[in-house]
Amino acid sequence: METRIQPSFPLERLTDPENFLSLLHYFGLLSIRDVGVFSVNLFRVEQLLMAMANRGEWRPVFDFLGEAITWQTGIRDYISGEKVVQGFLAAYLSVTDYYVFRSEAELGKGFADIALEPQLAQYPHLRHAYLIELKYLKRTESAIEAATAAAVEMATAQLERYLADERLARQFPGVRFIGLVVVFHGWEMVFCDAVRR
Protein backbone atom coordinates (compact mmCIF):
# COMPACT_ATOMS: atom_id res chain seq x y z
CA MET A 1 0.00 0.00 0.00
CA GLU A 2 1.30 3.46 -0.84
CA THR A 3 0.19 6.54 1.04
CA ARG A 4 1.28 10.04 1.88
CA ILE A 5 2.30 10.81 5.44
CA GLN A 6 -0.65 12.59 7.04
CA PRO A 7 0.48 15.64 9.07
CA SER A 8 -2.52 15.26 11.42
CA PHE A 9 -5.83 13.48 11.78
CA PRO A 10 -8.57 13.16 14.41
CA LEU A 11 -8.50 10.15 16.74
CA GLU A 12 -11.79 8.82 15.38
CA ARG A 13 -10.12 8.48 11.94
CA LEU A 14 -7.13 6.49 13.26
CA THR A 15 -8.39 3.30 11.60
CA ASP A 16 -8.19 4.82 8.12
CA PRO A 17 -5.21 2.99 6.56
CA GLU A 18 -3.35 6.16 5.58
CA ASN A 19 -3.73 7.56 9.11
CA PHE A 20 -2.63 4.33 10.81
CA LEU A 21 0.45 4.08 8.59
CA SER A 22 1.26 7.72 9.38
CA LEU A 23 0.95 6.98 13.10
CA LEU A 24 3.41 4.09 12.77
CA HIS A 25 5.76 6.43 10.91
CA TYR A 26 5.55 9.05 13.69
CA PHE A 27 6.27 6.37 16.30
CA GLY A 28 9.43 5.56 14.34
CA LEU A 29 8.21 2.09 13.41
CA LEU A 30 7.90 2.66 9.70
CA SER A 31 10.17 4.51 7.35
CA ILE A 32 9.07 6.17 4.14
CA ARG A 33 10.70 3.56 1.93
CA ASP A 34 8.91 0.76 3.85
CA VAL A 35 5.41 2.05 3.17
CA GLY A 36 5.16 0.09 -0.04
CA VAL A 37 5.63 -3.27 1.72
CA PHE A 38 3.88 -2.69 5.04
CA SER A 39 0.46 -4.27 5.33
CA VAL A 40 -2.05 -3.86 8.14
CA ASN A 41 -5.40 -5.61 8.21
CA LEU A 42 -7.23 -3.04 10.35
CA PHE A 43 -10.51 -4.95 10.13
CA ARG A 44 -8.82 -7.99 11.70
CA VAL A 45 -7.24 -5.83 14.43
CA GLU A 46 -10.63 -4.25 15.18
CA GLN A 47 -12.32 -7.66 15.47
CA LEU A 48 -9.63 -9.02 17.79
CA LEU A 49 -9.73 -5.97 20.05
CA MET A 50 -13.53 -6.09 20.15
CA ALA A 51 -13.39 -9.69 21.44
CA MET A 52 -10.72 -8.69 23.96
CA ALA A 53 -12.84 -5.80 25.25
CA ASN A 54 -16.21 -7.54 25.26
CA ARG A 55 -15.38 -11.15 26.10
CA GLY A 56 -11.94 -10.99 27.71
CA GLU A 57 -10.33 -12.91 24.81
CA TRP A 58 -6.87 -11.38 25.04
CA ARG A 59 -4.72 -14.26 23.77
CA PRO A 60 -5.66 -13.94 20.05
CA VAL A 61 -4.70 -10.24 20.19
CA PHE A 62 -1.24 -11.01 21.52
CA ASP A 63 -0.72 -13.95 19.17
CA PHE A 64 -1.50 -11.53 16.33
CA LEU A 65 0.80 -8.82 17.77
CA GLY A 66 3.64 -11.29 18.29
CA GLU A 67 3.44 -12.33 14.64
CA ALA A 68 3.09 -8.73 13.43
CA ILE A 69 6.18 -7.61 15.32
CA THR A 70 8.20 -10.56 14.01
CA TRP A 71 7.22 -9.96 10.37
CA GLN A 72 7.08 -6.18 10.24
CA THR A 73 10.34 -5.19 11.87
CA GLY A 74 13.92 -5.50 10.78
CA ILE A 75 17.07 -6.29 12.74
CA ARG A 76 18.13 -2.63 12.71
CA ASP A 77 14.90 -1.72 14.53
CA TYR A 78 16.21 -3.53 17.60
CA ILE A 79 19.03 -1.09 18.20
CA SER A 80 16.38 0.66 20.31
CA GLY A 81 15.14 -2.69 21.62
CA GLU A 82 12.23 -2.42 24.00
CA LYS A 83 11.07 0.94 22.61
CA VAL A 84 10.27 -0.68 19.25
CA VAL A 85 8.09 -3.31 20.91
CA GLN A 86 6.40 -0.69 23.11
CA GLY A 87 5.72 1.48 20.07
CA PHE A 88 4.15 -1.41 18.16
CA LEU A 89 1.94 -2.32 21.10
CA ALA A 90 0.91 1.32 21.54
CA ALA A 91 0.05 1.69 17.86
CA TYR A 92 -2.00 -1.49 17.59
CA LEU A 93 -3.72 -1.31 20.98
CA SER A 94 -4.80 2.28 20.24
CA VAL A 95 -6.60 1.42 17.00
CA THR A 96 -10.02 1.21 18.67
CA ASP A 97 -11.69 3.48 21.18
CA TYR A 98 -12.69 0.74 23.65
CA TYR A 99 -9.82 1.71 25.91
CA VAL A 100 -7.88 4.69 27.08
CA PHE A 101 -4.26 3.69 26.49
CA ARG A 102 -1.98 4.81 29.32
CA SER A 103 1.76 4.27 29.34
CA GLU A 104 3.59 4.08 32.69
CA ALA A 105 0.34 4.25 34.69
CA GLU A 106 1.04 4.87 38.37
CA LEU A 107 -0.40 2.00 40.43
CA GLY A 108 0.57 0.13 43.59
CA LYS A 109 3.69 2.22 44.26
CA GLY A 110 5.00 1.51 40.79
CA PHE A 111 4.32 2.11 37.12
CA ALA A 112 2.48 -0.37 34.91
CA ASP A 113 4.01 -0.38 31.43
CA ILE A 114 0.60 -0.25 29.77
CA ALA A 115 -2.88 0.24 31.22
CA LEU A 116 -5.90 -0.31 28.99
CA GLU A 117 -8.69 1.43 30.91
CA PRO A 118 -12.23 0.89 29.62
CA GLN A 119 -13.91 3.83 27.94
CA LEU A 120 -17.03 3.44 30.07
CA ALA A 121 -18.58 6.75 29.04
CA GLN A 122 -18.88 5.40 25.51
CA TYR A 123 -19.06 1.65 26.26
CA PRO A 124 -20.69 1.22 29.70
CA HIS A 125 -21.06 -2.56 29.14
CA LEU A 126 -17.31 -3.27 29.05
CA ARG A 127 -16.19 -5.50 31.91
CA HIS A 128 -12.62 -6.40 30.91
CA ALA A 129 -9.60 -4.14 31.27
CA TYR A 130 -5.87 -4.85 31.22
CA LEU A 131 -2.57 -4.00 32.84
CA ILE A 132 0.40 -5.12 30.76
CA GLU A 133 3.93 -5.56 32.00
CA LEU A 134 6.40 -5.84 29.14
CA LYS A 135 9.86 -7.35 29.60
CA TYR A 136 12.48 -7.25 26.89
CA LEU A 137 15.51 -9.51 26.53
CA LYS A 138 18.22 -8.61 24.03
CA ARG A 139 18.90 -11.06 21.22
CA THR A 140 22.50 -11.31 22.43
CA GLU A 141 21.36 -12.54 25.85
CA SER A 142 22.25 -16.16 26.49
CA ALA A 143 20.57 -18.57 28.93
CA ILE A 144 17.23 -17.42 27.52
CA GLU A 145 15.14 -19.86 29.60
CA ALA A 146 16.58 -18.61 32.90
CA ALA A 147 16.32 -14.97 31.79
CA THR A 148 12.71 -15.48 30.69
CA ALA A 149 11.79 -17.15 33.99
CA ALA A 150 13.36 -14.27 35.96
CA ALA A 151 11.55 -11.68 33.82
CA VAL A 152 8.21 -13.49 34.28
CA GLU A 153 8.70 -13.68 38.03
CA MET A 154 9.50 -9.97 38.27
CA ALA A 155 6.59 -8.94 36.02
CA THR A 156 4.15 -11.17 37.92
CA ALA A 157 5.11 -9.60 41.24
CA GLN A 158 4.73 -6.12 39.77
CA LEU A 159 1.32 -6.90 38.29
CA GLU A 160 0.04 -8.43 41.51
CA ARG A 161 0.88 -5.14 43.25
CA TYR A 162 -0.73 -3.03 40.53
CA LEU A 163 -3.89 -5.17 40.42
CA ALA A 164 -4.29 -4.80 44.20
CA ASP A 165 -4.40 -0.98 43.94
CA GLU A 166 -7.77 0.07 45.38
CA ARG A 167 -8.06 2.95 42.92
CA LEU A 168 -8.88 0.52 40.12
CA ALA A 169 -11.95 -0.86 41.91
CA ARG A 170 -13.03 2.63 42.97
CA GLN A 171 -12.62 4.19 39.54
CA PHE A 172 -13.91 1.20 37.54
CA PRO A 173 -16.53 -0.62 39.64
CA GLY A 174 -17.63 -3.90 38.11
CA VAL A 175 -14.66 -4.03 35.72
CA ARG A 176 -12.28 -6.98 35.95
CA PHE A 177 -8.66 -6.00 35.40
CA ILE A 178 -6.45 -8.73 33.99
CA GLY A 179 -2.68 -8.48 34.27
CA LEU A 180 -0.70 -9.68 31.27
CA VAL A 181 2.98 -10.59 31.38
CA VAL A 182 4.56 -10.25 27.94
CA VAL A 183 8.22 -11.12 27.35
CA PHE A 184 10.05 -10.48 24.07
CA HIS A 185 13.46 -11.83 23.13
CA GLY A 186 14.34 -9.31 20.45
CA TRP A 187 11.50 -9.52 17.93
CA GLU A 188 10.22 -12.87 19.22
CA MET A 189 7.48 -13.09 21.84
CA VAL A 190 8.71 -15.89 24.13
CA PHE A 191 6.07 -15.62 26.89
CA CYS A 192 2.57 -14.24 27.27
CA ASP A 193 0.19 -15.16 30.07
CA ALA A 194 -2.34 -13.69 32.47
CA VAL A 195 -2.05 -12.86 36.15
CA ARG A 196 -5.49 -12.71 37.71
CA ARG A 197 -6.35 -11.10 41.02
Side-chain angles (χ1 to χ4, degrees), residues 52-58 98-100 114-120 125-132 163 168 172 174-180 194-196:
M52 181 174 164
N54 290 312
R55 297 188 298 276
E57 297 173 5
W58 58 267
Y98 298 119
Y99 295 108
V100 174
I114 298 170
L116 297 178
E117 298 174 348
Q119 188 75 272
L120 295 177
H125 65 281
L126 291 184
R127 292 295 170 257
H128 299 91
Y130 301 88
L131 300 178
I132 301 166
L163 290 166
L168 292 177
F172 303 100
V175 173
R176 178 175 162 225
F177 273 83
I178 299 169
L180 298 177
V195 173
R196 288 185 176 84

Side-chain angles (χ1 to χ4, degrees), residues 62-186:
F62 283 86
D63 288 345
F64 176 88
L65 292 175
E67 289 177 19
I69 288 172
T70 297
W71 292 107
Q72 297 176 2
T73 58
I75 294 171
R76 288 188 58 78
D77 293 328
Y78 289 88
I79 293 170
S80 305
E82 186 174 356
K83 294 297 177 195
V84 171
V85 175
Q86 285 177 334
F88 248 89
L89 293 180
Y92 277 92
L93 294 173
S94 299
V95 165
T96 65
D97 60 353
Y98 298 119
Y99 295 108
V100 174
F101 180 98
R102 290 185 47 213
S103 179
E104 299 298 323
E106 187 175 346
L107 291 165
K109 303 291 186 200
F111 298 93
D113 288 335
I114 298 170
L116 297 178
E117 298 174 348
Q119 188 75 272
L120 295 177
Q122 190 166 355
Y123 301 102
H125 65 281
L126 291 184
R127 292 295 170 257
H128 299 91
Y130 301 88
L131 300 178
I132 301 166
E133 195 60 31
L134 174 66
K135 298 298 180 193
Y136 180 82
L137 308 172
K138 294 179 180 175
R139 287 302 287 186
T140 56
E141 195 157 343
S142 58
I144 189 64
E145 286 182 23
T148 300
V152 168
E153 185 178 339
M154 180 185 295
T156 299
Q158 289 172 292
L159 283 169
E160 286 172 348
R161 244 185 16 254
Y162 304 153
L163 290 166
D165 193 312
E166 292 177 1
R167 288 177 294 177
L168 292 177
R170 249 190 343 263
Q171 191 174 353
F172 303 100
V175 173
R176 178 175 162 225
F177 273 83
I178 299 169
L180 298 177
V181 175
V182 182
V183 181
F184 274 86
H185 179 224

